[in-house]
Amino acid sequence: MNRALTLAEIAKGRTNPNPLVGAVVVKDGEIIAEGYHAKAGEPHAEIHALGAAGEKADGATLYVTLEPCCHWGRTPPCTDAIIKSGIASVYIAHLDPNPKVAGKGIQELETAGIKTTVGVCAEAAETLNEVYIKHITTGYPFVILKTAMSLDGKIATSTGESKWITSEVSREKVHELRDQVDAILVGIGTILSDDPALTTRLQDKKGKDPTRIVLDSHARTPLTARIINPDSLAEVIIAVTSQAPKEKIVQLEKRNAKVIVIPEKDGRVCFKTLMQNIGERGLTSVLVEGGGKVNESVLKSGVVDKVMCFIAPKFIGGRQSPGIIDGDGIKRLRDAHELERLTVTQLDNDLLIEGYITNKCLQG
């Protein structure tokens, strides 16, 4: 199963909205075939593995990281292929939460006389598919809040200089994240101050540019902004409120930007509604790369699932130097945004702390 999980991860960022799945066929204690789901619309992991095994699959054992599908989608049901192959038993990491499957795949296999076992490496498999699970069960995208700061929590100097607080290794990691998510979200402040392209730039391969989303209540995005002018096929979505000038919306749309009008919450774009809209568009994951105002708002709204904090071993200081979270802050410690399931990774001299929000509550 560990090998199947490793195979599944190869396609990270390429299968959405489908899950990541790996499959291994074992006979007489030896791996005889393997496969993984490479892209939505293409054959599933089980089909690749069974095709490679051929007649040797008869009487063998199949290890798969997710319950095999039993319905027609873009491809035929995997359960049919498993039954026809002669597989004797199937080990499954975890059930597919998709209502079209949700135990029905196992039922079909067992009805056909195939022994099934569920729960092998379940936690690792569920973490691998956390994006898929969130989207298929709620309709919302999986939201990652990424920030980079100094040891004293600053994201820039008092003059606004922020390039570069963290190391080149950390920045490469961020581009790996962009390559894996469906969308990246920033505030209008970032567009006006940095004019980023928000593309993916990897050293050893061509990356996939995510959809670019800008929080821009009053449609202040310049028509010359790099996000709507680079040589990238990735979509640009500008989220505005009813306060945005209609003439500016028309101008932005002529530049091939998609402008969506979102209801207000405290005078700004309502994050909960925006995330619902994004999920309905089939975008299953969003990487938030905002400044202090965006970070404060997105945390307050309760849409964040995971936090990735890059910490550089340096002090910036100064009351005028911006921190990672703006606003008035909390008044009681019990209301603090806490993280669980923490991991710490060293990247050059930086530290990357990852964790999941514990006290989630969608407030809008």
Side-chain angles (χ1 to χ4, degrees):
M1 189 64 80
N2 282 327
R3 175 58 183 165
L5 288 167
T6 299
L7 289 167
E9 195 166 10
I10 293 174
K12 201 166 188 180
R14 299 298 185 273
T15 65
N16 299 337
N18 289 358
L20 294 161
V21 185
V24 172
V25 180
V26 175
K27 195 169 188 177
D28 299 326
E30 298 290 336
I31 293 177
I32 62 171
E34 57 187 32
Y36 65 92
H37 182 42
K39 186 179 180 181
E42 295 186 1
H44 293 181
E46 301 94 318
I47 304 304
H48 282 298
L50 293 174
E55 294 181 357
K56 294 180 181 179
D58 188 28
T61 298
L62 174 67
Y63 291 81
V64 62
T65 59
L66 184 70
E67 179 184 7
C69 68
C70 54
H71 66 285
W72 278 86
R74 298 190 195 178
T75 58
C78 288
T79 50
D80 289 355
I82 294 171
I83 294 169
K84 291 177 182 178
S85 72
I87 285 287
S89 60
V90 180
Y91 285 84
I92 301 165
H94 72 98
L95 298 179
D96 189 341
N98 186 339
K100 295 180 179 179
V101 187
K104 301 182 186 72
I106 291 176
Q107 185 178 356
E108 285 198 10
L109 295 177
E110 292 184 338
T111 299
I114 298 174
K115 180 182 178 181
T116 63
T117 303
V118 182
V120 181
C121 300
E123 185 175 351
E126 289 171 0
T127 298
L128 180 67
N129 270 320
E130 58 192 10
V131 169
Y132 168 74
I133 293 172
K134 168 74 179 296
H135 186 255
I136 201 69
T137 57
T138 69
Y140 286 86
F142 188 87
V143 179
I144 304 169
L145 174 60
K146 188 280 299 182
T147 189
M149 68 179 188
S150 61
L151 276 174
D152 52 344
K154 304 296 184 180
I155 60 174
T157 67
S158 59
T159 61
E161 183 181 352
S162 61
K163 296 182 179 179
W164 298 102
I165 290 178
T166 53
S167 67
E168 184 177 344
V169 176
S170 292
R171 298 196 297 275
E172 175 70 11
K173 177 68 174 178
V174 172
H175 282 280
E176 290 176 6
L177 288 171
R178 290 183 180 183
D179 183 54
Q180 295 171 358
V181 299
D182 286 347
I184 179 172
L185 182 150
V186 300
I188 182 60
T190 296
I191 298 298
L192 296 176
S193 62
D194 298 339
D195 192 22
L198 299 180
T199 52
T200 298
R201 300 178 294 280
L202 299 176
Q203 293 181 357
D204 56 351
K205 66 177 181 179
K206 179 176 174 57
K208 172 181 66 69
D209 291 341
T211 294
R212 280 78 56 84
I213 304 173
V214 183
L215 296 169
D216 187 7
S217 297
H218 298 89
R220 292 189 292 153
T221 299
L223 298 178
T224 56
R226 292 176 66 205
I227 59 162
I228 55 178
N229 288 280
D231 296 325
S232 175
L233 298 177
E235 186 178 31
V236 176
I237 297 175
I238 300 179
V240 304
T241 67
S242 58
Q243 302 300 315
K246 293 183 179 179
E247 311 82 48
K248 184 62 177 293
I249 291 177
V250 171
Q251 292 175 334
L252 288 168
E253 290 183 330
K254 286 182 178 179
R255 288 285 189 152
N256 295 322
K258 175 64 178 179
V259 181
I260 56 176
V261 181
I262 302 295
E264 296 180 22
K265 177 75 172 182
D266 299 326
R268 300 177 183 176
V269 169
C270 173
F271 274 105
K272 182 179 178 181
T273 304
L274 175 60
M275 289 303 106
Q276 182 179 11
N277 185 296
I278 294 303
E280 290 172 351
R281 292 172 182 273
L283 299 172
T284 64
S285 57
V286 177
L287 179 65
V288 178
E289 291 193 29
K293 290 182 179 179
V294 170
N295 292 345
E296 187 265 343
S297 295
V298 75
L299 281 170
K300 184 178 179 181
S301 71
V303 302
V304 177
D305 296 287
K306 185 177 183 178
V307 174
M308 301 183 70
C309 186
F310 294 82
I311 305 176
K314 59 187 69 170
F315 294 102
I316 293 178
R319 290 177 179 154
Q320 301 304 314
S321 301
I324 63 171
I325 301 177
D326 207 340
D328 296 328
I330 62 167
K331 293 181 172 59
R332 300 172 297 183
L333 281 176
R334 68 183 184 186
D335 296 327
H337 302 284
E338 295 188 43
L339 302 181
E340 61 182 1
R341 290 183 284 157
L342 295 178
T343 59
V344 181
T345 306
Q346 186 163 350
L347 300 170
D348 197 6
N349 288 327
D350 299 339
L351 291 180
L352 168 59
I353 298 179
E354 301 176 70
Y356 296 83
I357 297 287
T358 59
N359 57 338
K360 288 194 60 182
C361 178
L362 288 176
Q363 299 175 10

